[in-house]
Structure formats: structure tokens, C-alpha cells
Amino acid sequence: MTRKAMISRSNNAANPNKNVCGLAVANALGVGNATRYLHTWSDMERAVRSMYSFRSVRSAVKVKPDTTLGSIRKRLKQHCATQMDCIGYVVHIQGHVVLLDPDGATAIDTAAVQRDRRKIKQIYGVYMPVGNREKMHKLFSLMNKVKDKTDG
């Protein structure tokens, strides 16, 4: 599908360059303005990697082709317990993106369901960029901006 077609089918009337679910996840991570587009998984990867380390955890948490979002939560919590710099997970399911916290609980889902039987296509861990001074500086700057907004 071409970028023009993705823009014309976008579910975000205010900004058709970015789909609602991708933008909500990116905004929660503070990278909503990192890229021009947020339609594809590649767009999401590029945005998140602008500030964080973003790695697949598919094999680490044993995701198979029929694994559902609801069935993976306990394994994500166990995985995150072994990763000191893990701050959450971005999950790609058919036509949608969800942000999970380190315990595997849903943090951002613009199309929430009661029993989550949606099949996982991609699952990546979001990690603090501990070895990258430039990204850490950007992250601390963002945290200070958020703190200033909430304090005053």
C-alpha cells in the first residue's frame, strides 16, 4: 500500500499522517513528533528508536503464530523482571498497536476489548537507552518538561 493510500484511509481526521493508535502509543512514550508518519510498524520502530532502545522479545517470551495478547501477559512480567532497563512493550496486532506496561498490563489501547484474543504479529520491548548519552539527555529533557507542566 502506498503512503498516499495510507493517508487517505487514516483514522485520524486531525492529522491523517498518523493513525490514532500509533499516535497514542508514540505520545505515551514521548515520541509522537519524532517522525512525520505513523501508519506502519516501520514508522513506529523509527519513532520509538529516536529515544529508546527497541528490541524484539518474540523469542524471549515464546510467542508463537497463534499467541494472543491476553495469554502473554504473565510471561511479559517474568521477562521484564530479568531486564532492569525495560519500561514496557509495544505490541502489533492486526491493524492496531498497543502499549503494555512492564507487568504486561495494558497502558494504551485505543480499541480495548474485555477478553483479549487478538493475535500478536510483533512484540518489542522498550528499554532505557542506558549506553547512549544523547538519547538519555533527550529522555531527561522530556521528563523535565512533563514535570514542569504538572508542577506549575
Side-chain angles (χ1 to χ4, degrees), residues 59-123:
S59 61
V61 295
K62 299 175 178 73
V63 173
K64 296 181 170 109
D66 62 340
T67 302
T68 64
L69 189 53
S71 69
I72 197 79
R73 296 178 191 278
K74 185 176 179 182
R75 285 183 268 171
L76 290 176
K77 185 174 183 175
Q78 292 168 343
H79 175 264
C80 204
T82 66
Q83 307 291 317
M84 297 306 291
D85 55 348
C86 178
I87 61 170
Y89 300 94
V90 179
V91 184
H92 178 215
I93 51 181
Q94 183 63 42
H96 192 55
V97 180
V98 177
L99 179 65
L100 303 178
D101 70 12
D103 292 330
T106 302
I108 302 289
D109 187 354
T110 58
V113 294
Q114 184 67 32
R115 289 195 171 78
D116 212 333
R117 295 183 185 115
R118 299 175 286 184
K119 299 214 183 331
I120 295 172
K121 294 181 78 167
Q122 299 282 344
I123 182 163

